[in-house]
Structure formats: structure tokens, C-alpha cells
Amino acid sequence: MANQFVLVWSLLLTALTVCCLTSASDPSPLQDFCVADSNSQGIYRIKMNGFACKNPTTVRANDFSFSGLHIPGNTANAVGSAVTSATVTQIPGLNTLGISMVRVDYAPWGINPPHTHPRGTEILTVIKGTLEVGFVTSNPDNRLISKILRKGDVFVFPIGLIHFQRNVGHGNAVAIAALSSQNPGVITVANSVFGSKPDISADILAKAFQLDESIVRKLQWTF
């Protein structure tokens, strides 16, 4: 009977642990803050999940501040968009807090091309203009869920799913997005597939995308 009691409690604790571990992208902090110390690695570069903490007595307000999201990004590029990030790289105080944000600027008909954030869910708010947004569900459905957003509208992109935005208005557009990770990461589909270093074998991509190998090589050269 005692063994059964221990087994039940073990299973319950395991379930609760899994639930807690999977409830957020980043681990919950165990202290008020852990300002990232970019100089902590010294001679021996230890790979950490996040950054080591700066001495709390040396923490200042600037560690929790960033000035730059009021500045429009340069959209004079092939896709017609620019992303200005406010992640742990720009704000050391975000370390261990599991949140970050970005500003996205779009030229007329500019796009934020299909991409995914492997470590964070994104919630986007349109500040200016009109955006077509959407994400694609995972295999086997691959369902496109999309919507036209206007100023003040909000849309959520679930963690890990491929998503995009396109400016469908007549002028420039601006959006602000928050993400559920201090460092959500970004994988742009076209750049990753056709711009990997070294190249993925052209015959593999040709078969995957049902393209001629010459077209694949051209795309690889482009990216």
C-alpha cells in the first residue's frame, strides 16, 4: 500500500513538473532580476542558457532601458521591411524575464517574409497602416490562418509556426510586437533553406520543392 502511495505521488509530481516546465518559453526567474553580464565569460567561454548575472550592486536604470523604437527602420531593401529589436542584447535587464519586443517598419507593399520564432509566441499590434498577416499550422493540415489588420488591431502568432506580414496600404506601415522570450530567435524560411552555409545539396531541395536543380542553384546564389 505504501509503495502504491509513493508511486501515485511520484506520478503526480512528475505531471506537475512537466506542466510547469512547458507553461512558458523561458524558465521563470528565481530572483528579482538577473541583469546580463556581457563580460562574465572571461578566458573560458561557457555556453549558458541565457547570460550570467551582473553583480546586483552595480545594476543601474540603464540596464532596464532602451531608446530606439521611435526611430523608423530603413526599409530600402529587397523585402521592403526593417525590424528594430529590443531583446536581451539591447536590454540586459531582460535576462531571465522571458519577454522582449520589436518594431517593424514596412514600405508600401513591403513584407516581413515567412519566418518563425523557435523560442517565443508573438503578439503584434498595428500602430500605423494596414497589414495582411497570417500563419500556417503544422503538418499535415498546413492551414493558412490570415487576416487584414488596421491601426489598433492585434494578432497572435503561436510559437514555432511560420508567419508573415505584408503592407497592403497606400503608405508606410508600423507595428510593435511583444514576444514571450528574452531571445526568441528568428528563422527566415527562404534564407535558411537557400542561404545555408554550406549549401544544402541542390538535388535535395529540387526534390523537396519540385523544382529544376538549375533554379535551386540560382536561388542559392541569390540568398
Side-chain angles (χ1 to χ4, degrees):
M1 191 69 177
N3 289 339
Q4 289 180 340
F5 180 81
V6 171
L7 177 60
V8 169
W9 268 106
S10 298
L11 290 173
L12 179 60
L13 288 173
T14 300
L16 288 172
T17 301
V18 170
C19 176
C20 293
L21 288 175
T22 58
S23 64
S25 295
D26 293 354
S28 298
L30 300 177
Q31 61 282 314
D32 287 345
F33 53 78
C34 172
V35 174
D37 185 357
S38 59
N39 300 315
S40 67
Q41 293 163 336
I43 299 174
Y44 303 102
R45 297 184 62 83
I46 301 173
K47 193 70 173 178
M48 300 181 65
N49 190 21
F51 296 88
C53 302
K54 180 188 273 190
N55 186 331
T57 63
T58 68
V59 169
R60 298 292 181 267
N62 283 346
D63 291 317
F64 300 90
S65 175
F66 170 73
S67 180
L69 291 189
H70 65 292
I71 301 172
N74 182 6
T75 59
N77 52 57
V79 296
S81 69
V83 178
T84 304
S85 299
T87 67
V88 69
T89 303
Q90 291 77 31
I91 309 175
L94 286 178
N95 192 39
T96 76
L97 297 184
I99 193 170
S100 60
M101 67 189 308
V102 298
R103 168 183 173 142
V104 191
D105 289 273
Y106 312 83
W109 294 102
I111 66 168
N112 191 5
H115 63 282
T116 178
H117 302 292
R119 294 181 292 275
T121 290
E122 176 180 350
I123 183 168
L124 177 141
T125 304
V126 178
I127 305 300
K128 175 184 177 182
T130 305
L131 296 179
E132 176 189 0
V133 303
F135 64 86
V136 180
T137 63
S138 55
N139 296 352
D141 293 339
N142 302 125
R143 180 185 171 201
L144 172 63
I145 297 176
S146 64
K147 187 176 178 64
I148 300 296
L149 303 183
R150 293 174 175 81
K151 182 177 178 180
D153 290 343
V154 176
F155 197 81
V156 174
F157 304 106
I159 183 172
L161 296 186
I162 294 172
H163 59 281
F164 64 89
Q165 302 103 41
R166 177 170 65 166
N167 180 4
V168 293
H170 298 293
N172 295 331
V174 181
I176 295 288
L179 299 108
S180 63
S181 172
Q182 67 181 42
N183 183 25
V186 60
I187 301 171
T188 305
V189 177
N191 298 60
S192 297
V193 173
F194 296 106
S196 66
K197 297 177 179 58
D199 290 341
I200 299 174
S201 296
D203 63 312
I204 293 176
L205 296 181
K207 183 172 289 188
F209 287 92
Q210 297 295 289
L211 296 172
D212 188 89
E213 285 190 29
S214 62
I215 296 176
V216 170
R217 292 192 183 93
K218 184 177 180 179
L219 287 169
Q220 289 177 320
W221 181 85
T222 300
F223 286 96

